[in-house]
Short mmCIF file of all heavy atoms in Angstrom, two decimals:
data_model
loop_
_atom_site.label_atom_id
_atom_site.label_comp_id
_atom_site.label_asym_id
_atom_site.label_seq_id
_atom_site.Cartn_x
_atom_site.Cartn_y
_atom_site.Cartn_z
N HIS A 964 12.00 -7.73 5.99
CA HIS A 964 11.23 -8.97 6.18
C HIS A 964 11.48 -9.96 5.04
O HIS A 964 11.58 -11.17 5.29
CB HIS A 964 9.74 -8.65 6.29
CG HIS A 964 9.37 -8.08 7.61
ND1 HIS A 964 9.41 -8.79 8.78
CD2 HIS A 964 8.95 -6.84 7.95
CE1 HIS A 964 9.03 -8.03 9.79
NE2 HIS A 964 8.76 -6.83 9.31
N VAL A 965 11.59 -9.47 3.82
CA VAL A 965 11.86 -10.36 2.68
C VAL A 965 13.23 -11.01 2.86
O VAL A 965 13.40 -12.21 2.64
CB VAL A 965 11.78 -9.59 1.34
CG1 VAL A 965 12.31 -10.42 0.19
CG2 VAL A 965 10.34 -9.16 1.08
N MET A 966 14.23 -10.21 3.27
CA MET A 966 15.57 -10.76 3.51
C MET A 966 15.53 -11.83 4.60
O MET A 966 16.11 -12.92 4.45
CB MET A 966 16.54 -9.65 3.91
CG MET A 966 17.96 -10.17 4.17
SD MET A 966 19.09 -8.90 4.79
CE MET A 966 18.44 -8.64 6.44
N ALA A 967 14.85 -11.55 5.70
CA ALA A 967 14.76 -12.51 6.80
C ALA A 967 14.08 -13.80 6.35
O ALA A 967 14.52 -14.90 6.70
CB ALA A 967 14.02 -11.89 7.97
N GLU A 968 13.03 -13.68 5.55
CA GLU A 968 12.33 -14.86 5.04
C GLU A 968 13.25 -15.69 4.15
O GLU A 968 13.30 -16.92 4.25
CB GLU A 968 11.09 -14.43 4.26
CG GLU A 968 10.31 -15.56 3.64
CD GLU A 968 9.59 -16.43 4.65
OE1 GLU A 968 9.32 -15.97 5.77
OE2 GLU A 968 9.30 -17.60 4.30
N ALA A 969 14.01 -15.03 3.29
CA ALA A 969 14.93 -15.75 2.41
C ALA A 969 16.01 -16.47 3.21
O ALA A 969 16.32 -17.64 2.93
CB ALA A 969 15.58 -14.77 1.43
N ILE A 970 16.56 -15.81 4.20
CA ILE A 970 17.62 -16.43 5.01
C ILE A 970 17.08 -17.62 5.78
O ILE A 970 17.72 -18.67 5.87
CB ILE A 970 18.28 -15.38 5.94
CG1 ILE A 970 19.10 -14.41 5.09
CG2 ILE A 970 19.14 -16.05 7.00
CD1 ILE A 970 19.60 -13.20 5.83
N THR A 971 15.88 -17.51 6.36
CA THR A 971 15.34 -18.64 7.13
C THR A 971 14.93 -19.80 6.22
O THR A 971 14.91 -20.94 6.66
CB THR A 971 14.14 -18.21 8.01
OG1 THR A 971 13.13 -17.62 7.19
CG2 THR A 971 14.58 -17.25 9.09
N ARG A 972 14.66 -19.53 4.96
CA ARG A 972 14.39 -20.63 4.03
C ARG A 972 15.70 -21.35 3.67
O ARG A 972 15.72 -22.57 3.53
CB ARG A 972 13.72 -20.13 2.76
CG ARG A 972 12.27 -19.82 2.97
CD ARG A 972 11.59 -19.47 1.67
NE ARG A 972 10.21 -19.07 1.93
CZ ARG A 972 9.31 -18.97 0.99
NH1 ARG A 972 9.62 -19.22 -0.27
NH2 ARG A 972 8.09 -18.59 1.29
N LEU A 973 16.77 -20.58 3.50
CA LEU A 973 18.07 -21.19 3.20
C LEU A 973 18.68 -21.87 4.42
O LEU A 973 19.34 -22.91 4.29
CB LEU A 973 19.03 -20.12 2.68
CG LEU A 973 18.72 -19.55 1.31
CD1 LEU A 973 19.62 -18.34 1.03
CD2 LEU A 973 18.90 -20.61 0.22
N PHE A 974 18.48 -21.28 5.58
CA PHE A 974 19.06 -21.78 6.83
C PHE A 974 17.95 -21.86 7.88
O PHE A 974 17.80 -20.93 8.70
CB PHE A 974 20.19 -20.86 7.30
CG PHE A 974 21.24 -20.62 6.25
CD1 PHE A 974 21.26 -19.44 5.52
CD2 PHE A 974 22.21 -21.58 5.99
CE1 PHE A 974 22.23 -19.22 4.55
CE2 PHE A 974 23.18 -21.37 5.01
CZ PHE A 974 23.19 -20.19 4.29
N PRO A 975 17.16 -22.93 7.88
CA PRO A 975 15.98 -23.02 8.75
C PRO A 975 16.28 -22.90 10.24
O PRO A 975 15.40 -22.53 11.01
CB PRO A 975 15.40 -24.40 8.43
CG PRO A 975 15.91 -24.74 7.09
CD PRO A 975 17.26 -24.08 6.99
N GLN A 976 17.50 -23.18 10.66
CA GLN A 976 17.85 -23.09 12.07
C GLN A 976 18.10 -21.66 12.53
O GLN A 976 18.32 -21.41 13.72
CB GLN A 976 19.09 -23.95 12.37
CG GLN A 976 20.40 -23.42 11.83
CD GLN A 976 20.61 -23.58 10.32
OE1 GLN A 976 19.76 -24.07 9.60
NE2 GLN A 976 21.79 -23.18 9.84
N THR A 977 18.02 -20.70 11.64
CA THR A 977 18.27 -19.30 11.96
C THR A 977 17.29 -18.80 13.01
O THR A 977 16.09 -19.05 12.93
CB THR A 977 18.15 -18.42 10.70
OG1 THR A 977 19.06 -18.90 9.72
CG2 THR A 977 18.44 -16.97 11.01
N LYS A 978 17.83 -18.08 14.00
CA LYS A 978 16.99 -17.44 15.01
C LYS A 978 16.98 -15.94 14.73
O LYS A 978 18.02 -15.30 14.78
CB LYS A 978 17.54 -17.73 16.40
CG LYS A 978 17.49 -19.19 16.77
CD LYS A 978 18.12 -19.43 18.12
CE LYS A 978 18.20 -20.92 18.38
NZ LYS A 978 19.06 -21.21 19.51
N LEU A 979 15.81 -15.42 14.42
CA LEU A 979 15.67 -13.99 14.12
C LEU A 979 15.43 -13.21 15.41
O LEU A 979 14.75 -13.69 16.31
CB LEU A 979 14.51 -13.75 13.16
CG LEU A 979 14.63 -14.43 11.80
CD1 LEU A 979 13.35 -14.21 11.00
CD2 LEU A 979 15.83 -13.90 11.03
N ALA A 980 15.98 -12.01 15.47
CA ALA A 980 15.78 -11.18 16.65
C ALA A 980 15.02 -9.92 16.29
O ALA A 980 13.87 -9.75 16.67
CB ALA A 980 17.13 -10.83 17.29
N TYR A 991 18.94 -6.96 9.93
CA TYR A 991 18.26 -7.92 10.78
C TYR A 991 19.30 -8.57 11.68
O TYR A 991 20.31 -9.07 11.19
CB TYR A 991 17.57 -9.00 9.94
CG TYR A 991 16.14 -9.23 10.34
CD1 TYR A 991 15.11 -8.79 9.53
CD2 TYR A 991 15.82 -9.87 11.53
CE1 TYR A 991 13.80 -8.97 9.89
CE2 TYR A 991 14.52 -10.05 11.91
CZ TYR A 991 13.50 -9.60 11.08
OH TYR A 991 12.20 -9.79 11.45
N MET A 993 20.37 -11.63 13.75
CA MET A 993 20.01 -13.05 13.71
C MET A 993 21.15 -13.89 14.24
O MET A 993 22.30 -13.45 14.27
CB MET A 993 19.62 -13.46 12.30
CG MET A 993 20.68 -13.26 11.25
SD MET A 993 20.09 -13.53 9.59
CE MET A 993 19.02 -12.16 9.32
N GLU A 994 20.82 -15.09 14.66
CA GLU A 994 21.81 -16.03 15.14
C GLU A 994 21.81 -17.23 14.21
O GLU A 994 20.76 -17.82 13.94
CB GLU A 994 21.46 -16.49 16.57
CG GLU A 994 22.48 -17.42 17.17
CD GLU A 994 22.08 -17.82 18.57
OE1 GLU A 994 21.53 -16.99 19.31
OE2 GLU A 994 22.32 -18.99 18.91
N LEU A 995 23.01 -17.57 13.72
CA LEU A 995 23.18 -18.71 12.82
C LEU A 995 24.19 -19.68 13.45
O LEU A 995 25.05 -19.27 14.24
CB LEU A 995 23.72 -18.27 11.46
CG LEU A 995 22.81 -17.38 10.63
CD1 LEU A 995 23.59 -16.58 9.63
CD2 LEU A 995 21.78 -18.23 9.93
#
Side-chain angles (χ1 to χ4, degrees):
H964 285 292
V965 169
M966 179 185 71
E968 178 70 22
I970 290 170
T971 57
R972 284 186 185 194
L973 291 170
F974 306 101
Q976 72 284 3
T977 303
K978 295 177 186 167
L979 299 175
Y991 229 107
M993 59 189 70
E994 183 180 323
L995 295 157

